[in-house]
């Protein structure tokens, strides 16, 4: 029987990795690392997890090791965030096209400069196009569940793609929450052993990662992109089976009080729970406000998002990333492109908030909704605005 | 210059773009893009085999009489052999169209 415990979310993720019985964990053990890797290294050192832990010299080496071990057919996990994720970046583009199902949990944090260790989404948004499946957890339970789901989906032979589960740094990674942990028997029912289509084997040599000459490169990129898009079916199936077994059902776009809502807040990650509070408060005052939370970010669930927001007059889209010089935040840009010239599309207003650990409270979300109501009548001058940025 | 047309489809390309046949690089004619070729002066050659060792495309092979000859299907014309030859026995000569 699964048990509900108070547990730090990083430790819960490490427990999910133990239950997944990984073979190799390659990680840089120093900051910006979290307790996820610290706890996993303890589990391995004390014999509670039979795996190889490779304490590499950098995140670049961590992801390189992960590519090698996954190619050799080992179930592979790593974790990083912030500057560490950026140091990995060169290698992060490789396992997707090579179809290596590495699982990584990213504890989202801000990027330097100025130096800042707190939470926002700038690190993961800068790695948006690495060609991995990407999901966003809003609480500890989801962090645990989505980690197991990631192994299940990534390693499915129809998918065979790397997958990131994103949890908000500190707000989730360092906070104790109630989490229902599954037992080994339960996880075994859900997660079959890893059986890759191809693996590096000296007895049956193949080449992974050859040169892609101009006559081949485009087709290789399209094949990867098509595989990523097609993975949605397996992602949904993975959630359906999870719900059948354990009773918790996830969707690519989660909604809250969204039917009949005129305005929908659009959020990702942990501020979505704050947004639920904001929606309740505004509903109490008679405002027709709801919430659409993007849980699946890559591949982007376009049809599901359109369906989830059907009937809304406007979207108040929250970005936790400020891309300098861009037309709007990454989520704002994505949704404007999704709805461009779609008949009956909601108006889209983009708010950037919660950078580098700045709190996003109910009042800030209410401010975004109030502004959205005003902007429906009178278009704002700018395509986005930064909430709470003081001028003087 | 000919257009770079696709030689494979995205549906038919191998999984992960892997190459499933071992040793298939022998099929890749690196001599295609050579702009100069090594020409040997046998008078100077001492048959030391340095050219054979240094050639990055393994285009050299040893002949019966102990000299080294180049397979022009693979010689890419880099000139390393000519640079490394201790006797100056190899001259790089421009290819003519
Ligand atoms: S390196 Fe020069 S001397 Fe030596 S075998 Fe080659 S051509 Fe002859
Ligand atoms: S020119 Fe370069 S490729 Fe050609 S034989 Fe000499 S070393 Fe080999």
């Amino acid at each position: 029987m699964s048990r509900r415990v108070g547990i730090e979310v990083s430790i819960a993720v490490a427990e999910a990795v133990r239950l997944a019985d990984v073979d190799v964990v390659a990680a840089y053990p120093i900051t910006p690392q979290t307790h996820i890797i610290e706890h996993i290294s303890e589990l391995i050192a004390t014999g509670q997890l039979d795996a190889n832990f490779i304490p590499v010299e950098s995140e670049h080496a961590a992801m390189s090791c992960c590519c090698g071990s996954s190619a050799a057919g080992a179930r592979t996990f790593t974790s990083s965030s912030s500057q560490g994720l950026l140091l990995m970046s060169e290698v992060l583009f490789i396992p997707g096209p090579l179809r290596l199902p590495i699982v990584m949990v990213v504890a989202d944090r801000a990027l330097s400069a100025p130096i800042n260790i707190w939470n926002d989404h700038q690190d993961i948004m800068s790695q948006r196009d690495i060609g991995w499946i990407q999901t966003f957890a809003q609480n500890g339970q989801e962090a645990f569940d989505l980690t197991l789901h990631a192994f299940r989906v990534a390693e499915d032979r129809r998918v065979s793609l790397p997958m990131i589960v994103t949890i908000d740094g500190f707000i989730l990674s360092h906070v104790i929450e109630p989490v229902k942990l599954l037992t080994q028997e339960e996880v075994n029912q859900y997660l079959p052993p890893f059986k890759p289509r191809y693996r590096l084997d000296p007895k049956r040599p193949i080449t992974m990662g050859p040169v892609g000459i101009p006559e081949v490169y485009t087709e290789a990129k399209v094949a990867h992109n098509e595989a990523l898009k097609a993975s949605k079916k397996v992602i949904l199936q993975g959630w359906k089976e999870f719900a059948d077994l354990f009773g918790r059902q996830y969707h690519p776009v989660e909604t809250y009080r969204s039917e009949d809502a005129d305005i929908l807040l659009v959020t990702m990650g942990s501020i979505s729970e704050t947004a639920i509070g904001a929606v309740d408060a505004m509903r109490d005052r008679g405002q027709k406000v709801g919430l659409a939370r993007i849980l699946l970010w890559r591949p982007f669930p376009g049809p599901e998002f359109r369906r989830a927001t059907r009937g809304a007059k406007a979207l108040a889209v929250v970005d936790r990333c400020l891309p300098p010089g861009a037309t709007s935040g990454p989520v704002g840009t994505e949704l404007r492109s999704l709805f461009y010239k779609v008949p009956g599309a909601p108006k889209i207003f983009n708010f950037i908030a919660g950078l580098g650990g700045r709190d996003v409270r109910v009042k800030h979300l209410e401010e975004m909704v109030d502004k959205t109501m005003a902007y429906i009548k009178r278009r704002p001058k700018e395509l986005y605005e930064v909430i709470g940025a003081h001028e003087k | 210059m000919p257009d770079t047309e696709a030689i494979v489809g995205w549906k038919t390309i191998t999984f992960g773009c892997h190459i499933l046949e071992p040793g298939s690089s022998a099929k890749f004619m690196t001599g295609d893009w050579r702009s100069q070729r090594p020409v040997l002066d046998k008078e100077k050659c001492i048959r030391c085999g340095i050219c054979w060792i240094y050639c990055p495309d393994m285009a050299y092979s040893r002949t019966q009489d102990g000299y080294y000859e180049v397979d022009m299907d693979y010689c890419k014309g880099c000139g390393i052999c000519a640079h490394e030859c201790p006797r100056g026995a190899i001259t790089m000569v421009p290819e003519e169209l």
Side-chain angles (χ1 to χ4, degrees):
Chain A
M1 271 295 283
S2 57
R3 59 204 168 94
R4 192 161 185 262
V5 295
I7 189 169
E8 189 188 300
V9 174
S10 281
I11 311 292
V13 169
E15 283 299 316
V17 174
R18 179 182 67 77
L19 289 161
D21 192 24
V22 296
D23 301 309
V24 173
V25 178
Y28 185 63
I30 315 170
T31 193
Q33 197 49 269
T34 62
H35 297 152
I36 297 172
I37 292 301
E38 187 178 306
H39 191 66
I40 288 173
S41 70
E42 277 169 17
L43 290 170
I44 295 172
T46 54
Q48 295 173 76
L49 171 61
D50 179 19
N52 282 305
F53 182 74
I54 311 173
V56 287
E57 75 277 17
S58 74
E59 286 84 355
H60 189 280
M63 190 41 60
S64 302
C65 275
C66 287
C67 287
S69 71
S70 186
R75 179 169 285 170
T76 303
F77 178 83
T78 191
S79 178
S80 190
S81 68
S82 187
Q83 310 301 131
L85 190 70
L86 296 202
L87 188 49
M88 255 183 205
S89 184
E90 184 193 343
V91 194
L92 284 174
F93 285 81
I94 291 168
L98 291 193
R99 311 294 295 274
L100 303 175
I102 301 160
V103 171
M104 170 155 72
V105 172
V106 175
D108 284 329
R109 283 163 49 169
L111 298 176
S112 297
I115 296 170
N116 177 298
I117 62 165
W118 289 270
N119 167 231
D120 66 25
H121 290 173
Q122 293 186 85
D123 54 0
I124 189 66
M125 286 303 170
S126 80
Q127 302 304 306
R128 187 188 61 175
D129 297 333
I130 54 176
W132 294 43
I133 302 169
Q134 299 183 15
T135 55
F136 276 69
Q138 74 167 347
N139 56 35
Q141 186 66 61
E142 285 189 9
F144 177 83
D145 293 350
L146 292 179
T147 301
L148 288 167
H149 174 255
F151 284 107
R152 165 69 191 259
V153 172
E155 292 172 1
D156 188 299
R157 281 185 165 202
R158 293 165 294 173
V159 176
S160 208
L161 287 168
M163 191 153 167
I164 285 176
V165 178
T166 291
I167 66 172
D168 281 318
F170 295 101
I171 304 228
L172 290 184
S173 66
H174 288 59
V175 164
I176 294 173
E177 289 203 6
V179 177
K180 271 191 193 152
L181 300 177
L182 299 174
T183 64
Q184 191 64 65
E185 292 67 43
E186 287 172 318
V187 170
N188 292 350
Q189 273 181 286
Y190 181 64
L191 185 61
F194 175 32
K195 292 209 181 97
R197 291 246 294 251
Y198 296 100
R199 61 187 199 92
L200 292 180
D201 178 357
K203 289 199 203 85
R204 299 174 58 197
I206 62 167
T207 301
M208 289 189 185
V211 172
I213 55 175
E215 290 84 349
V216 165
Y217 187 83
T218 302
E219 285 67 28
K221 297 313 266 186
V222 172
H224 168 221
N225 185 37
E226 292 298 327
L228 187 65
K229 289 195 282 180
S231 70
K232 195 172 77 182
K233 219 176 90 189
V234 183
I235 294 168
L236 299 184
Q237 209 179 315
W239 279 330
K240 166 86 173 53
E241 257 179 67
F242 194 92
D244 291 345
L245 284 168
F246 312 122
R248 292 185 293 279
Q249 173 75 61
Y250 297 107
H251 304 95
V253 181
E254 297 276 352
T255 53
Y256 180 73
R257 299 183 85 166
S258 63
E259 315 85 44
D260 85 328
D262 288 336
I263 296 174
L264 288 175
L265 279 161
V266 179
T267 58
M268 291 166 88
S270 63
I271 66 162
S272 311
E273 292 198 335
T274 314
I276 285 174
V279 166
D280 284 341
M282 288 183 279
R283 284 276 180 180
D284 285 349
R285 294 197 296 271
Q287 285 172 276
K288 288 169 118 183
V289 179
L291 171 69
R293 168 168 72 103
I294 300 166
L295 197 159
L296 177 63
W297 172 235
R298 286 290 180 270
F300 191 82
E304 287 85 352
F305 192 88
R306 283 197 194 137
R307 222 175 297 130
T309 54
R310 187 171 293 154
K313 289 201 184 98
L315 307 179
V317 180
V318 188
D319 259 297
R320 304 204 51 206
C321 169
L322 174 58
T327 52
S328 41
V331 187
T333 306
E334 189 89 16
L335 296 181
R336 286 197 168 111
S337 148
L338 179 72
F339 282 110
Y340 183 67
K341 298 242 160 145
V342 172
K347 291 185 173 173
I348 293 172
F349 304 105
N350 193 198
F351 303 96
I352 289 167
L355 299 182
R358 180 76 58 90
D359 280 335
V360 181
R361 299 189 182 281
V362 167
K363 65 177 179 190
H364 300 116
L365 295 157
E366 288 176 342
E367 179 188 340
M368 295 176 209
V369 170
D370 290 343
K371 286 189 160 152
T372 298
M373 281 196 318
Y375 293 158
I376 289 173
K377 297 195 195 92
R378 202 196 148 99
R379 222 173 78 176
K381 275 212 279 309
E382 305 289 341
L383 283 167
Y384 67 91
E385 67 184 87
V386 183
I387 294 293
H390 284 218
E391 222 170 75
K392 286 180 183 137
Chain B
M1 279 281 283
D3 282 350
T4 51
E5 295 288 350
I7 54 171
V8 68
W10 67 264
K11 281 189 176 170
T12 50
I13 196 168
T14 51
F15 181 85
C17 201
H18 302 340
I19 295 174
L20 304 175
E21 182 192 340
S24 62
S25 61
K27 291 183 182 167
F28 192 35
M29 300 297 163
T30 42
D32 273 6
W33 29 280
R34 183 178 57 242
S35 64
Q36 48 175 0
R37 65 167 61 214
V39 175
L40 174 67
D41 180 349
K42 275 193 178 175
E43 298 286 302
K44 292 185 184 164
C45 176
I46 55 166
R47 294 180 278 183
C48 65
I50 297 261
C51 50
W52 170 72
I53 290 169
Y54 274 87
C55 174
D57 275 74
M58 292 178 280
Y60 277 101
S61 55
R62 195 163 183 271
T63 57
Q64 286 274 311
D65 53 8
Y67 291 97
Y68 293 84
E69 91 185 348
V70 183
D71 184 339
M72 285 301 165
D73 279 346
Y74 299 109
C75 169
K76 62 186 174 189
C78 66
I80 287 174
C81 52
H83 187 265
E84 296 298 333
C85 172
R87 306 304 295 228
I90 302 171
T91 316
M92 298 306 291
V93 178
E95 290 284 3
E96 286 174 26
L97 290 176

